[in-house]
Amino acid sequence: MKKFLTFLIAAACWGAAGIAASAEDLRPAFLLTASPSRDTQDLSGQWTYSKDLYRTGLNDINGWVAKSRMQRYRDLDVAALEAQGGTDFFEFDLDRGPAMAVPGAWNAARPELRYYDGLVWFQRKFQSKPLNGGRAFLRFEAVNYRAYVYLNGKEIGRHEGGFTPFVLEVTDALREGGNRLSVGVDSSHDAQTIPTVITDWDLYGGITRPVRLVYTPATFIDDATLSLKPDGRIAGELRLQGPQAARQNVNVTIAGLATASAVTDAGGRAVFDIAAPAGLQRWSPDSPRLYDVRYAAAGDAVRDRIGFRTIAVKGRQILLNGKPIFLRGISLHEEEFGPNPARNMTEPAARALLHEIKHGLNANYVRLSHYPHSEVTLRLADEMGLLVWSEIPVYWSVDWDNPAVLRKALAMQAEAIYRDRSRASVVMWSVGNETPVSAPRTRFHSAMADNVRALDPTRLVSAALLVERRKVNGEDVTAIDDPLAGKLDVLAVNTYAGWYGSDTLDALPGLKWQVPPDRPLILSEFGADALAGYRNDGNKKFTEEYQTEYYRKTLAMADAMPTLAGMSPWILKDFQSPRREHPVFQNGWNRKGLLSETGVRKQAFGVLADYYRGKAAK
Ligand code: GCU
């Protein structure tokens, strides 16, 4: 039943109209949020693959019935069958197909796949162990964009969305000894996907994050979370799944701080309300204290590392643990250093990026744009002490009036929030980036904001809004005039005066802003392209000198903005984008990084680092 539900939810996302009734409705069938502490089998490594440009291996695409000789997921030993001769023949064989590394995008794996955007079938064979009455799940951390999953020739489930995890039960399909896992990955986007076809980042199709086989008891802890309340108490919940889920004793231990117990209800849910523990060291960027937490119930146990902090707004201030904080940030795409990134964010790769942010730029905040980044990055932000803005890719435009698209967005939010709601670093959920104002758009974002508050009332809601230039009493002002503002805790704007448009750099410090006086404002983006090493050419655009001056002048503008509570300039590192094709300065790279793609610091890096050092000292 649960498995069919997983299938159903995915199918609902793709077609059936109708908005989610409640946050609970959006809860995926399985989460396995604490799976890093579970008995798992990492299926990373070489996977064989087969291109399927015309999607011949898939049924129900416009009524297409896949020819069995093209169904790449079939559980067949093609070579052995061919050896027998006879009339049957096959037009695939992933046992003898080429291979590539998973996780990672196929665009970086093979020159011939550099700009391939479509369906590719992957196969991974693996041995599993006896379940002895237990259960087994496949947990995909991310597949870009649509995934069709088969085990031993049987369809297990589907998922849509390139940046959030999904869990599929394989208890019945798994066989002792050898298993054949087949995953059809379709990277293509259209008017009903999130994001839609055009973005300012690269394709990165494939199984871009780890896939793990997770073993659990028959009744297991599927999800658990804790967070600090404004009154100092610690609240949380735990979900048991399985035949023994109801009326079970549950214990939670926060090492060195507190223990508590509760009983699950008929649905397997238990809630915790722990008295304010004496001696709690609150988490903050300057002291990112994490506590070892152990949850136990029904013979199962999982662990997590959690920091406790509060986040709130008061007037134009953002309050961390009750104190005003200025967010000294930078924006970041999920792309490792190097000339040919595969969007394979390993722990060392994430640490290298976050280290430059924290220790290079003296920052305390990072905007993880424009989609949920890898869990490894979030856990490192917890450990290293960086506040995080997280968003789903409702970017530029989506099919606003389409209820099925809204349900997709709400489901993506739910997947991101359930995955990261125990991360102290995450303080803000964003519901959109640079979407032109219209009534359907504002309705869509409002529903997303309500959804966030229902799923997670402990964090702030924001969105990266567009600014408007207008004349007020003959004076040129930059204004925020967005009906969505009323739904947000923190206002954020992307501004590119001095790069796009005709403003000169000298005009920037004097730019007049018209913004709500009593709300915290963030500059969620500003930036200018510079090709690393291109210097001494008269401060022209794309020179390092121009970018440096642009930063100096924009920071001077920022200093004159009274409600400014933070910023995340665009962007830490040059990143790949099919929209950037200047043959001398770009070659497929957006060059607004303060670092080159290989990590070379541009001049402007120092300007921001000095500015943040000054801010931090205040
Ligand atoms: C936009 C957008 C980014 C883009 C940037 C740019 O604001 O949000 O995704 O890369 O501008 O133009 O460089």
Side-chain angles (χ1 to χ4, degrees), residues 123-134:
Q123 176 179 286
R124 176 75 158 81
K125 288 182 152 181
F126 63 92
Q127 302 288 328
S128 62
K129 62 181 193 178
L131 298 182
N132 302 328

Side-chain angles (χ1 to χ4, degrees), residues 200 370 395 433-434 496 500 525 570 575 580 590 592:
D200 194 28
H370 290 294
Y395 177 91
N433 180 75
E434 289 194 355
Y496 282 92
Y500 299 123
E525 287 183 35
W570 193 258
F575 62 95
R580 310 296 173 170
N590 182 313
K592 292 191 181 69

Side-chain angles (χ1 to χ4, degrees), residues 254-429:
I254 309 173
L257 200 65
T259 61
S261 58
V263 179
T264 56
D265 61 16
R269 180 171 181 260
V271 290
F272 305 113
D273 183 9
I274 305 169
L280 169 69
Q281 288 171 24
R282 292 191 177 208
W283 183 98
S284 73
D286 296 338
S287 63
R289 175 72 159 92
L290 297 175
Y291 287 87
D292 287 319
V293 175
R294 183 175 184 276
Y295 304 96
D300 190 22
V302 289
R303 296 175 179 282
D304 204 351
R305 283 176 59 74
I306 296 182
F308 296 99
R309 54 100 192 96
T310 60
I311 189 79
V313 292
K314 188 170 164 227
R316 57 178 68 170
Q317 295 178 319
I318 296 176
L319 304 180
L320 177 69
N321 295 325
K323 297 198 195 76
I325 186 164
F326 185 89
L327 304 180
R328 309 186 313 269
I330 191 85
S331 295
L332 182 70
H333 260 300
E334 175 142 287
E335 199 181 71
E336 66 274 26
F337 282 122
N340 182 30
R343 191 183 274 167
N344 177 15
M345 198 47 70
T346 60
E347 204 265 353
R351 195 177 285 279
L353 292 161
L354 298 190
H355 188 274
E356 274 293 71
I357 296 175
K358 174 107 185 167
H359 302 291
L361 286 174
N362 307 309
N364 61 8
Y365 167 63
V366 57
R367 176 186 177 188
L368 299 180
S369 37
H370 290 294
Y371 36 77
H373 284 217
S374 292
E375 197 169 342
V376 67
T377 302
L378 277 302
R379 288 184 179 274
L380 269 179
D382 269 13
E383 179 201 312
M384 295 168 75
L386 280 168
L387 297 159
V388 165
W389 153 305
S390 174
E391 60 188 291
I392 67 162
V394 175
Y395 177 91
W396 287 348
S397 181
V398 300
D399 190 355
W400 304 116
D401 269 328
N402 184 331
V405 172
L406 176 58
R407 189 171 171 114
K408 265 181 219 180
L410 303 181
M412 263 181 211
Q413 281 183 310
E415 288 172 347
I417 292 174
Y418 281 122
R419 188 196 73 177
D420 295 336
R421 62 184 179 156
S422 293
R423 307 278 73 78
S425 54
V426 181
V427 289
M428 246 177 302
W429 304 110

Side-chain angles (χ1 to χ4, degrees), residues 9 12 16-27 403 406-408 410-411 414 418 447 450-455:
I9 289 178
I19 310 297
S22 73
E24 189 57 28
D25 196 21
L26 290 162
R27 173 186 276 271
L406 176 58
R407 189 171 171 114
K408 265 181 219 180
L410 303 181
Y418 281 122
D450 295 344
N451 189 40
V452 167
R453 294 190 198 287
L455 285 161

Side-chain angles (χ1 to χ4, degrees), residues 533-552:
Y534 177 34
R535 299 184 182 173
N536 309 322
D537 193 8
N539 280 9
K540 288 201 191 77
K541 284 195 172 179
F542 290 107
T543 60
E544 288 196 41
E545 288 91 348
Y546 188 95
Q547 188 188 48
T548 305
E549 199 53 20
Y550 169 93
Y551 266 79
R552 287 211 174 91

